[in-house]
Amino acid sequence: MKLAKKWLSVLYLGCTALLLTACSDNADENTAETETTSVPALLFETELATNAVSETSGTETTTSVSETTTEIVSTAEETTQTTTTMEETTTTTTSTTTEMPVVTTTVQTTTTVAVETAEATAPTPEAETATQKFEPGIWWSTSGDGDRYFCFYTGNNAGSFQDQESGLGMAFSYETDGDNTVIFHIGDAESSERVQVNFTDSSTAVLTWANGATETLAYQGLGNFDTFHFYSNLELCEMALDYYEAKYAYRPADASAEVQANGKIAIQLYDSLEDHNSTSAWYTVDRFTAQGTDIMGNTINLKS
């Protein structure tokens, strides 16, 4: 009996030891599991820390934006265009900065402005021949060959002219041929002269004859040879001889007159000798009034 109790005690102790051993094993397994589950947590924290370091030491990119304003002005309207230029700067942990190239694009706008033009007006028949016509009245002609006067009649293409030297005159008719050509029929229709006419203004015309001779006509005003009077050179010579004879009781044998550059008439009174001329007087007078001066500058009037 005692032996049985002793085995029971031994058995009890053995079971107790087995239980303690099992419990110890369970405790060690729980500890192992705890340690096993805690490792991933540490690894996760380590990875976070690594990522944090990686982010800290990674590439930091800063983008700045600058605006460039380009103003384009056209003749029709004013246009303002804003061009945005992106400038990107990259900074690394090694303090190296990479600057991207800046590309600027300028857009030009061309505006076409319509210009209004007046419609061309066809010239009237009167305008086409206006420069070919002479105003009615007296035109004073000067040339290297002497002076003369043209009288263009009113209402028809006809007139007459008188020579300054002799005072002789002749009638004519005329017609236009083209823009600047006039055909003069002098004396009769059989005698014709084709003349080029250039009107420098409304009161001045330059005539170029077929032989190349030119003369300039200057308009003197309305009238005819009954109202427009001038003294011819022959008349002035006779008047000068009369004037000298009346004053000095002597009449020179000859007299000559010529037109000066200033339009005045110079008269010489003289006697022809064997080897020279003996001059009695020099007079310079106006062709319209017969008044002037002698060689000493004294005033004279050939009509007195």
Side-chain angles (χ1 to χ4, degrees):
M1 187 65 158
K2 290 180 181 181
L3 184 57
K5 288 182 180 180
K6 184 177 179 179
W7 283 102
L8 287 172
S9 297
V10 174
L11 180 61
Y12 175 76
L13 290 173
C15 292
T16 301
L18 292 172
L19 290 172
L20 290 174
T21 300
C23 289
S24 176
D25 293 337
N26 291 332
D28 292 338
E29 290 176 359
N30 290 335
T31 302
E33 290 177 0
T34 301
E35 291 176 356
T36 301
T37 56
S38 63
V39 169
L42 292 175
L43 291 174
F44 179 73
E45 291 176 0
T46 302
E47 185 176 357
L48 289 177
T50 302
N51 292 336
V53 173
S54 176
E55 290 179 355
T56 303
S57 61
T59 300
E60 182 178 353
T61 301
T62 304
T63 302
S64 61
V65 179
S66 62
E67 291 186 355
T68 302
T69 302
T70 302
E71 184 173 303
I72 300 171
V73 179
S74 66
T75 57
E77 59 181 359
E78 183 175 305
T79 305
T80 302
Q81 177 178 335
T82 301
T83 303
T84 303
T85 303
M86 300 298 295
E87 182 179 350
E88 181 175 333
T89 304
T90 304
T91 305
T92 64
T93 56
T94 59
S95 300
T96 301
T97 303
T98 302
E99 185 172 348
M100 299 298 292
V102 179
V103 179
T104 304
T105 302
T106 304
V107 179
Q108 295 183 351
T109 302
T110 303
T111 303
T112 303
V113 180
V115 179
E116 295 183 358
T117 57
E119 294 182 1
T121 303
T124 62
E126 293 182 357
E128 291 177 349
T129 59
T131 57
Q132 303 170 12
K133 292 183 178 179
F134 293 93
E135 289 291 333
I138 302 296
W139 292 72
W140 181 2
S141 168
T142 57
S143 69
D145 294 333
D147 294 9
R148 59 179 172 175
Y149 305 92
F150 286 78
C151 178
F152 291 89
Y153 300 155
T154 301
N156 55 44
N157 292 348
S160 63
F161 66 84
Q162 291 187 6
D163 185 71
Q164 169 65 38
E165 183 175 359
S166 63
L168 297 177
M170 187 171 293
F172 63 82
S173 63
Y174 68 95
E175 58 182 313
T176 60
D177 182 17
D179 293 337
N180 60 350
T181 302
V182 175
I183 301 175
F184 282 96
H185 304 285
I186 302 173
D188 57 65
E190 299 299 327
S191 175
S192 301
E193 289 281 350
R194 181 178 294 271
V195 182
Q196 297 295 313
V197 181
N198 178 28
F199 283 85
T200 58
D201 55 51
S202 60
S203 60
T204 307
V206 177
L207 276 60
T208 302
W209 295 81
N211 62 1
T214 62
E215 56 185 318
T216 301
L217 277 64
Y219 185 63
Q220 301 299 300
L222 284 173
N224 52 45
F225 288 131
D226 292 333
T227 59
F228 179 82
H229 179 74
F230 69 95
Y231 294 101
S232 68
N233 292 358
L234 290 180
E235 290 175 325
L236 291 173
C237 284
E238 289 297 318
M239 293 170 68
L241 289 172
D242 293 341
Y243 176 83
Y244 188 88
E245 183 179 11
K247 188 173 184 178
Y248 298 105
Y250 176 76
R251 188 180 184 90
D254 293 307
S256 64
E258 61 181 12
V259 179
Q260 303 297 297
N262 60 3
K264 301 295 184 180
I265 308 299
I267 305 170
Q268 180 187 15
L269 305 180
Y270 62 95
D271 292 300
S272 295
L273 303 179
E274 291 183 358
D275 56 350
H276 68 282
N277 291 334
S278 176
T279 301
S280 300
W282 278 98
Y283 297 143
T284 302
V285 297
D286 185 274
R287 67 183 70 193
F288 303 112
T289 63
Q291 298 177 9
T293 59
D294 61 17
I295 195 171
M296 302 300 295
N298 299 315
T299 300
I300 63 170
N301 185 352
L302 301 184
K303 295 185 297 182
S304 61

